[in-house]
Amino acid sequence: MDGKNTRLSYPLEKYDSDVAGRSFHNGRFIQRMRDKAASLPNVRMEQGTVTSLLENKGTVEGVQYKTKNGQELSAYAPLTIVCDGCFSNLRRSLCNPKVDVPSCFVGLLLENIDLPYINHGHVILANPSPILFYKISSTEVRCLVDVPGQKVPSVSNGELAHYLKTVVAPQIPPELYNSFLSAIDKGNIKTMPNRSMPADPHPTPGALLLGDAFNMRHPLTGGGMTVALSDIVLIRDLLRPLHDLHDASTLCKYLESFYTLRKPIASTINTLAGALYKVFCASPDKARQEMRSACFDYLSLGGICSEGPISLLSGLNPRPLSLFLHFFGVAIYGVGRLCIPFPSPKRMWLGARVISGASGIIFPIIKSEGVRQMFFPATIPAYYRTPP
């Protein structure tokens, strides 16, 4: 940020050596997981486009799908897991889809270059919004440029390339500048809307939502796969003691505990992603500028001030209360800087606006995640459901 940099590492001292952050080609990772699943003796892989869920008296009994050659087929199961991604056309009957698109990512691939910090993701706090760099193979670095709003400049008429060269490139660190320009000239530029959608399910007998079809957050912190995989582990553990999935209503009642048990890790990562994105975006508002600067300097302090947020971001510390305390720790740190050594009325007023701005960022996100589910999950009856 503004020529300054700080390095934040995972606090791994108390963990086994196999705990690490991962970055990869997403498509390759998904395909390898499919191959692995298909190699198991009790799995049969069918490929097709699911067109609708098959329902009978409010219970989902399977799916209707179309094969590559256009044949319409049906598949029946006592439990259908819907995980058809961020563009899901099946989620409407299983949850309240309140999808927000705060920005878009413009993706580039930089080749044969090393990042300033080996084995670290890089976030550039640029104007108007952040730019990300991270390795996805031994020779490739993914760059994601955040563009606020729901539209990006046109790729076909060269507007996007012009925007990247004139607005974004001057803010790129010098050691990455030439590679960034060559990636633009190569022209393999991808764009993707960034979606966020709180988890607001209608528990439905015979069906369960997972992944981006169910819950999305701004991808700034790369938390989507962490949430998805932790949800999968939770579902695996809930289903493991069951021998019969055919009593759909009893199974549905039991699996309601999933929506509460997933909250600590999912809501922590979701809230942090949404709040950090809003803090990291440049703004003409002086209070927001102060909050952005305070956040960078707070993380630069090291110790608990960097380890705490990084362990929240990575899912190592799934405690919403800890997130809440760190977020307001940043705001109070910002106010403290304004009021020392002499708190003038103008600076005190700016400090009050920093606290007010921080509240305006985090409280709506917490409300959408569910205050009770986040902070008091043990008060929800489903929390204690035992296997039928």
Side-chain angles (χ1 to χ4, degrees), residues 196-224:
S196 65
M197 184 182 81
D200 189 5
H202 305 307
T204 306
L208 190 73
L209 269 171
L210 272 186
D212 283 354
F214 173 47
N215 183 205
M216 294 179 277
R217 75 290 310 139
H218 194 284
L220 171 71
T221 59

Side-chain angles (χ1 to χ4, degrees), residues 17-311:
S17 57
D18 63 342
V19 175
R22 303 283 176 195
S23 57
F24 40 75
H25 276 277
N26 190 64
R28 290 182 198 171
F29 180 67
I30 299 295
Q31 198 53 50
R32 289 288 173 88
M33 286 205 293
R34 283 183 185 145
D35 294 343
K36 178 70 176 170
S39 72
L40 300 172
N42 56 341
V43 170
R44 191 178 85 229
M45 180 109 113
E46 297 278 352
Q47 278 191 280
T49 302
V50 175
T51 51
S52 63
L53 295 171
L54 298 172
E55 287 192 49
N56 180 23
K57 298 177 184 171
T59 299
V60 172
E61 295 186 337
V63 295
Q64 191 154 11
Y65 67 99
K66 198 180 275 189
T67 60
K68 262 185 188 170
N69 52 23
Q71 196 180 359
E72 286 266 4
L73 296 172
S74 299
Y76 294 88
L79 180 62
T80 300
I81 295 180
V82 177
C83 45
D84 56 338
C86 62
F87 299 105
S88 172
N89 63 341
L90 302 176
R91 65 161 74 102
R92 290 202 166 276
S93 56
L94 303 174
C95 75
N96 294 319
K98 300 184 191 107
V99 181
D100 180 34
V101 182
S103 66
C104 297
F105 265 160
V106 174
L108 299 161
L109 207 55
L110 281 59
E111 292 174 327
N112 302 312
I113 186 168
D114 280 325
L115 290 167
Y117 295 122
I118 300 295
N119 293 331
H120 283 65
H122 293 62
V123 183
I124 318 297
L125 298 191
N127 190 342
S129 53
I131 304 161
L132 310 181
F133 291 93
Y134 54 95
K135 275 216 153 190
I136 54 171
S137 79
S138 56
T139 59
E140 298 163 305
V141 168
R142 169 71 71 209
C143 170
L144 296 171
V145 177
D146 186 85
V147 178
Q150 298 187 10
K151 282 189 176 176
V152 295
S154 169
V155 178
S156 55
N157 66 10
E159 270 180 40
L160 183 55
H162 178 73
Y163 173 83
L164 292 172
K165 284 181 176 178
T166 56
V167 177
V168 179
Q171 303 183 73
I172 299 289
E175 57 267 57
L176 302 173
Y177 182 80
N178 290 334
S179 291
F180 183 76
L181 291 182
S182 344
I184 298 168
D185 291 335
K186 275 183 190 162
N188 186 18
I189 302 173
K190 297 179 177 179
T191 62
M192 179 77 175
N194 292 327
R195 292 171 162 77
S196 65
M197 184 182 81
D200 189 5
H202 305 307
T204 306
L208 190 73
L209 269 171
L210 272 186
D212 283 354
F214 173 47
N215 183 205
M216 294 179 277
R217 75 290 310 139
H218 194 284
L220 171 71
T221 59
M225 197 58 80
T226 310
V227 173
L229 293 174
S230 69
D231 280 354
I232 288 165
V233 170
L234 186 54
I235 280 293
R236 177 200 67 188
D237 293 343
L238 286 170
L239 293 178
R240 183 173 271 156
L242 305 181
H243 302 292
D244 182 14
L245 302 178
H246 283 87
D247 186 346
S249 57
T250 306
L251 179 64
C252 177
K253 202 162 187 244
Y254 166 61
L255 289 180
E256 277 180 34
S257 62
F258 164 70
Y259 301 120
T260 306
L261 294 169
R262 71 183 292 277
K263 273 294 172 181
I265 191 164
S267 62
T268 301
I269 290 173
N270 294 348
T271 306
L272 189 62
L276 273 185
Y277 177 69
K278 289 187 174 171
V279 170
F280 282 172
C281 282
S283 168
D285 179 5
K286 193 83 175 71
R288 287 286 289 274
Q289 290 170 19
E290 199 59 47
M291 184 74 179
R292 188 186 197 218
S293 172
C295 188
F296 182 87
D297 291 344
Y298 180 87
L299 293 169
S300 305
L301 291 173
I304 189 67
C305 298
S306 67
E307 287 176 6
I310 287 296
S311 60

